[in-house]
Amino acid sequence: MKLGFLTACLPGDDLADIARWAADQGFEALEVAGWPSPDDRNHIRVDTFDQAEQERVGRIFAETGLALSSIAYYENNLHPQAGEQVNAHLRRCVDAAAALGCPTVGTFVGRDPGLSVRDNLDRAARVFPPLVAYARDRGVEIVIENCVMKSWHPDGYPGNLAYSPELWEWMFTLGLKLNYDPSHLVALGIDPVAAAMPYVSEIAHVQAKDTEILPGTINRFGFYGPISGEKGWYRFRVPGLGQIDWRMVIGALREGGYDGVVSVEHEDHVHSGSTERVQTGLGIAYGTLRHLVRG
């Protein structure tokens, strides 16, 4: 396995600077943000990808010796208005990944909040197979993160229909792979180790984020969380500052045969606000995971 991180936590920084810092710290890979402009999470400029951009990105990875593990574009592919635009950009991400020799592109299933879960699954069964075929024809796998995305639903219900093993089994039938993130399972009351073990062969990428349970808060809000805009009963942290037993998680992945990249997804607000604070958080994650990933 190799240890890397998702560049979206450093939206204002240049990819060359991020890559040099990552290599100097001992990271071995980057999962690179590829949202379209004007979103500043576009360290690979997928929407204007051309020969010059291919050469720029390729040179950065060649000079630093890092692996490009995935192009990240996590949006709602079932959005009732923007879905076609999202899918078109996803194809551009696939084209860029193929040109750069990158094995995966990461996204969400999403949902239309105006439809039932069953109707959303039926719609996804029409939307995703052509995307999967497009990617595989170019040597790329589409990987889906198991994030809940409650903010995409007006009542806080799951906005990304890929949050549980039941839904993983369904999306595997469409040819999608899993970008496994244990932090979201903790927040659903699911044991991340027990959940992952039967499906390691379908995991094509891993994101490492931790979950801190805030003492006493669940007694006020309940499992589904607040409706008032208050902070909920958990928050995301960098690995090592939450509840997850990373020794068990990495051990389960290794036992199941996973030998890909473990990519830190930094969404820790304690270690945010500047490049230096984010780098401090990434350093904590590196110290937590390094010996486990390379062991």
Side-chain angles (χ1 to χ4, degrees), residues 8-33:
C9 60
L10 293 165
D13 291 29
D14 184 78
L15 178 59
D17 294 334
I18 294 172
R20 282 192 292 267
W21 180 87
D24 288 345
Q25 301 306 305
F27 286 100
E28 301 159 293
L30 288 178
E31 177 186 5
V32 180

Side-chain angles (χ1 to χ4, degrees), residues 87-114:
N87 294 334
H89 188 75
L90 184 63
R91 286 187 173 90
R92 289 192 286 272
C93 288
V94 167
D95 291 339
L100 292 164
C102 175
T104 69
V105 168
T107 189
F108 291 139
V109 170
R111 79 177 289 173
D112 180 342

Side-chain angles (χ1 to χ4, degrees), residues 3 6 14 21 26 34 40 74 94 115 155 158 160 170 187 191 194 215 219-220 228 242 249 269:
L3 182 58
L6 171 57
D14 184 78
W21 180 87
D40 55 6
Y74 290 92
V94 167
L115 299 177
D155 294 320
N160 174 36
W170 158 78
D191 179 342
N219 295 329
R220 171 171 172 76
S228 58
V249 169
H269 292 292

Side-chain angles (χ1 to χ4, degrees), residues 43-233:
H43 293 117
I44 291 178
R45 302 180 191 107
V46 173
D47 48 354
T48 57
F49 193 83
D50 56 13
Q51 185 66 33
E53 179 67 355
Q54 179 179 341
E55 292 175 359
R56 180 188 77 91
V57 175
R59 184 166 54 250
I60 289 169
F61 281 88
E63 290 174 352
T64 58
L66 297 172
L68 173 55
S69 67
S70 192
I71 295 179
Y73 175 56
Y74 290 92
E75 288 292 349
N76 187 350
N77 291 276
L78 301 182
H79 192 283
Q81 285 81 47
E84 289 188 10
Q85 180 180 346
V86 170
N87 294 334
H89 188 75
L90 184 63
R91 286 187 173 90
R92 289 192 286 272
C93 288
V94 167
D95 291 339
L100 292 164
C102 175
T104 69
V105 168
T107 189
F108 291 139
V109 170
R111 79 177 289 173
D112 180 342
L115 299 177
S116 69
V117 170
R118 175 53 56 194
D119 287 344
N120 269 285
L121 298 185
D122 289 344
R123 185 162 171 244
R126 298 189 298 272
V127 168
F128 278 98
L131 295 171
V132 169
Y134 185 89
R136 288 189 173 171
D137 285 348
R138 290 155 179 79
V140 177
E141 295 279 7
I142 295 177
V143 296
I144 304 293
E145 184 190 350
N146 54 288
C147 180
V148 180
M149 291 305 296
K150 295 187 290 185
S151 62
W152 283 357
H153 194 285
D155 294 320
Y157 300 138
N160 174 36
L161 296 178
Y163 57 85
S164 68
E166 177 187 18
L167 287 163
W168 301 349
E169 291 176 356
W170 158 78
M171 72 183 194
F172 296 153
T173 68
L174 306 183
L176 297 164
K177 296 292 186 178
L178 179 61
N179 189 3
Y180 167 68
D181 184 337
S183 67
H184 302 295
L185 297 170
V186 173
L188 290 170
I190 298 174
D191 179 342
V193 175
M197 288 182 70
Y199 306 107
V200 176
S201 64
E202 301 288 349
I203 295 173
H205 198 264
V206 171
Q207 287 183 332
K209 185 165 73 263
D210 219 328
T211 305
E212 178 186 10
I213 306 301
L214 303 175
T217 51
I218 197 168
N219 295 329
R220 171 171 172 76
F221 303 121
F223 182 79
Y224 295 104
I227 61 170
S228 58
E230 297 180 62
K231 293 181 179 179
W233 57 273

